[in-house]
Amino acid sequence: MDQPSINLAILGLQWGDEGKGKVVDLLSPRFRQVVRFQGGNNAGHTVVVGGQSIALHQVPSGALHPDCFLVVGNGVVLNLEVLQQELDRLKARGFDLAGRLLLSEKAHLILPHHIALDLWREVRADKLGTKIGTTGRGIGPAYEMKASRMGVRLGDLRHPGSLADRIRQGYEEVRLRLGEAEGLPSLQAIVDGALRTAQPFLPFIGDAQTHLQTAWQRGESILFEGAQATLLDIDHGTYPFVTSSNCSLGGLFTGTGLPPKALDKVLGIAKAYTTRVGAGPFPAELLDATGARLREAGREFGTTTGRPRRCGWFDAPITAHACRTNGVDGLAIMKLDVLDGLEEVGMVVGYRTGEGGLTTQLPSCAADWAGLKPEIRRFKGWDSTRGFTDPRDLPGTARAYLEALAEAVGVPIAYLSTGPDRTEGCVYPGTFLASLLG
Ligand code: IMP
């Protein structure tokens, strides 16, 4: 390999859906290994190539580059049925992953009773007014089973004779909660289904930790692809309105078994505005026509569930919090073109507290968010940034907005996306990304 090796993490800095898929896809040709380390098929990464868009849920976004080896780390929870559909769709488009996919034997399975529990719980929570608005993919229960030591790992699929015993305790606990209703399949049906779906994957299951350690020692470049984002992190997000994994940097190390010194740089991904799906605090939310316009222009509907996303201005304090949590070296600002044509563009630069003070600190308790009012700085809008490839050519008002954004967040911009296609975007000269891609 001629280019120096680099191990890079790509992490979401808001509430997910920042456009990480596009960045991973863009950078993948520079990397030999592309790794997912947390989350499951709650994620949905849309990659657009030559006008065709492909939605990926569990397969790393490097799938579209034949020289990338794809690793699903131990921190991921996997639904094999969905993975099979994903591989079939990729194959139909000419992307065959045979021989370049490794699934950690320590990754946990998402099973039908996890999904049933997730859905059952959300219906009950709705009545109690505590609904999170999960993706309904069984993510929370799968991680719960892992933490309570009732989980089923991919490696367990190699032992068909003891699989029922492995699944039984978790299954029985779910059955006790749900009762006989809700169409919960029998234990035997779940075991048979798991063994059947696992069959084609057995050659892909292996020791991902050693694979990555070896790749690192050999100096192969590794790209770590985060799913969801810091504000959805179970510890550092807007708890309890979060997902059940560590989407921020710590999850990379526990989710792969690599040490911190294996990582060189962190690229943080944020949209030029903010969105979130599901319930929870969102001070920058626009409930008016501008919010609706962002939703339409940005096609802000979930890749996984199709739900309309809540939309609002860029929120500098949450993004700065995410940058601090992850030690972000450079920002990738996505979808700037969605703000094109607005007369005025807003940015949340702080929150007014009940007492009238101004803070940029995020409360750690969900109840404390309610009293905060966003402090909005307004910028003059611009006509068009669509398809721009050089930041120096951008309209002056767009440049002023981006400069203020980088200053408020405290991290320089390394990449700017100006449209959905791979070709629509600017790499900022003088940044680590420019030398990486240069
Ligand atoms: P869960 O991960 O399905 O348990 O959902 C928990 C919360 O995280 C909900 O608010 C979801 O909408 C949100 N969420 C989970 N995955 C994603 C994602 O990939 N993008 C955006 N939001 C997500």
Side-chain angles (χ1 to χ4, degrees), residues 15-17 42-44 118 132-137 139-140 227-228 232 241-244 276-279 304 307:
W15 279 284
D17 309 312
N42 48 349
D118 192 3
I132 288 171
T134 72
T135 58
R137 302 300 192 257
I139 305 297
Q228 292 85 46
L232 287 173
F241 301 98
V242 292
T243 189
S244 299
R276 96 170 280 176
V277 222
T304 302
R307 289 181 291 177

Side-chain angles (χ1 to χ4, degrees), residues 235-279:
D235 287 287
H236 302 293
T238 45
Y239 190 89
F241 301 98
V242 292
T243 189
S244 299
S245 63
N246 282 115
C247 328
S248 55
L249 192 60
L252 186 158
F253 305 112
T254 52
T256 57
L258 283 173
K261 65 173 86 154
L263 188 70
D264 298 304
K265 292 281 181 205
V266 179
L267 182 66
I269 320 292
K271 271 192 275 222
Y273 50 99
T274 314
T275 63
R276 96 170 280 176
V277 222

Side-chain angles (χ1 to χ4, degrees), residues 214-420:
T214 309
W216 173 39
Q217 299 306 336
R218 276 202 209 121
E220 292 180 8
S221 290
I222 309 175
L223 184 60
F224 300 94
E225 173 183 2
Q228 292 85 46
T230 309
L231 274 295
L232 287 173
D233 182 286
I234 188 146
D235 287 287
H236 302 293
T238 45
Y239 190 89
F241 301 98
V242 292
T243 189
S244 299
S245 63
N246 282 115
C247 328
S248 55
L249 192 60
L252 186 158
F253 305 112
T254 52
T256 57
L258 283 173
K261 65 173 86 154
L263 188 70
D264 298 304
K265 292 281 181 205
V266 179
L267 182 66
I269 320 292
K271 271 192 275 222
Y273 50 99
T274 314
T275 63
R276 96 170 280 176
V277 222
F282 185 3
E285 183 168 17
L286 292 166
L287 296 165
D288 56 8
T290 310
R293 176 179 167 155
L294 293 180
R295 187 173 309 113
E296 288 309 315
R299 294 203 210 102
E300 297 295 353
F301 298 89
T303 315
T304 302
T305 59
R307 289 181 291 177
R309 296 178 184 142
R310 300 157 66 192
C311 297
W313 296 129
F314 183 83
D315 186 322
I318 67 147
T319 316
H321 158 76
C323 286
R324 288 191 298 269
T325 306
N326 299 309
V328 170
D329 295 290
L331 295 173
I333 298 298
M334 312 303 287
K335 292 184 141 183
L336 180 70
D337 55 296
V338 170
L339 300 177
D340 288 357
L342 288 170
E343 229 160 80
E344 210 177 45
V345 176
M347 182 190 300
V348 176
V349 291
Y351 311 117
R352 290 271 163 213
T353 60
E355 301 80 49
L358 186 66
T359 181
T360 52
Q361 284 301 113
L362 272 54
S364 46
C365 184
D368 291 330
W369 282 91
L372 299 181
K373 297 264 169 308
E375 175 77 4
I376 298 172
R377 182 173 164 193
R378 301 198 177 268
F379 298 79
K380 200 169 177 315
W382 52 85
D383 286 339
S384 175
T385 59
R386 180 70 196 257
F388 277 58
T389 53
D390 188 332
R392 289 165 295 202
D393 297 339
L394 291 168
T397 45
R399 279 209 312 271
Y401 173 73
L402 292 169
E403 274 162 27
L405 182 155
E407 198 185 322
V409 169
V411 177
I413 297 175
Y415 176 77
L416 176 71
S417 176
T418 55

Side-chain angles (χ1 to χ4, degrees), residues 179-197:
E180 301 297 337
E182 318 291 339
L184 193 63
S186 68
L187 174 63
Q188 196 54 50
I190 290 178
V191 173
D192 292 345
L195 289 173
R196 197 177 49 249
T197 24

